Amino acid sequence: MMKFFFLFLLPFLVQGGPNDGSILLHNDTTMILTAVVQASDGSFLGQFSIQPGQQRNFITNMYNTHYEVPGTPNISLTPYTVTWQCPSEGIFSLCTNVSPGAYVKATICEKGTHFCAPKKKIEKKAPASHLQKVQ
């Protein structure tokens, strides 16, 4: 039994450690939404277009690099902020204080309109000039 644990289960337990900042993004709406993930200091971490009913796993590796730059602050990446954007330039919802390992659904986020306006139609205008072929 112990051989089974060390051969099969231990690698899975070791793989997901405390240095993996992963969140599961779920678009539970009927529209294509773009999920924008930001760190706690506002820096951009990633952007994903997610189809209706689909899920996307966002993973950030937070291992130390042992590279020190004098004078830089020690800022945490977490908690994350997830912004769900509409295809029509609006914000559907906004989740703040998202912890690593969280399951983030677009309709559960506390801030935002939870509505996407229809895309604006581009009107076709007549050209500024007409060129005619001479036969």
Side-chain angles (χ1 to χ4, degrees):
M1 186 67 175
M2 291 301 283
K3 287 182 182 180
F4 175 77
F5 176 77
F6 284 111
L7 290 176
F8 297 106
L9 294 179
L10 187 62
F12 291 111
L13 296 175
V14 171
Q15 185 177 9
N19 291 328
D20 293 333
S22 65
I23 53 176
L24 183 62
L25 304 168
H26 181 193
N27 181 1
D28 58 341
T29 68
T30 58
M31 300 160 281
I32 299 172
L33 295 177
T34 301
V36 178
V37 181
Q38 293 177 307
S40 63
D41 64 348
S43 61
F44 176 81
L45 295 177
Q47 176 175 324
F48 311 98
S49 180
I50 304 175
Q51 298 292 322
Q54 298 293 314
Q55 296 178 359
R56 170 76 188 228
N57 195 14
F58 169 77
I59 299 174
T60 283
N61 184 347
M62 296 188 288
Y63 290 112
N64 294 336
T65 59
H66 301 292
Y67 178 74
E68 294 184 21
V69 179
T72 58
N74 188 7
I75 297 175
S76 173
L77 294 177
T78 59
Y80 301 116
T81 298
V82 178
T83 305
W84 294 92
Q85 293 181 341
C86 297
S88 60
E89 303 175 358
I91 293 178
F92 182 82
S93 63
L94 178 74
C95 286
T96 56
N97 296 323
V98 176
S99 301
Y103 176 63
V104 182
K105 293 170 71 173
T107 58
I108 299 298
C109 296
E110 65 275 1
K111 298 177 184 174
T113 60
H114 293 89
F115 174 78
C116 286
K119 285 186 177 179
K120 296 178 183 175
K121 291 184 180 181
I122 300 174
E123 296 180 20
K124 293 184 179 180
K125 296 181 180 180
S129 65
H130 293 283
L131 298 176
Q132 296 179 356
K133 282 187 175 180
V134 177
Q135 302 226 358

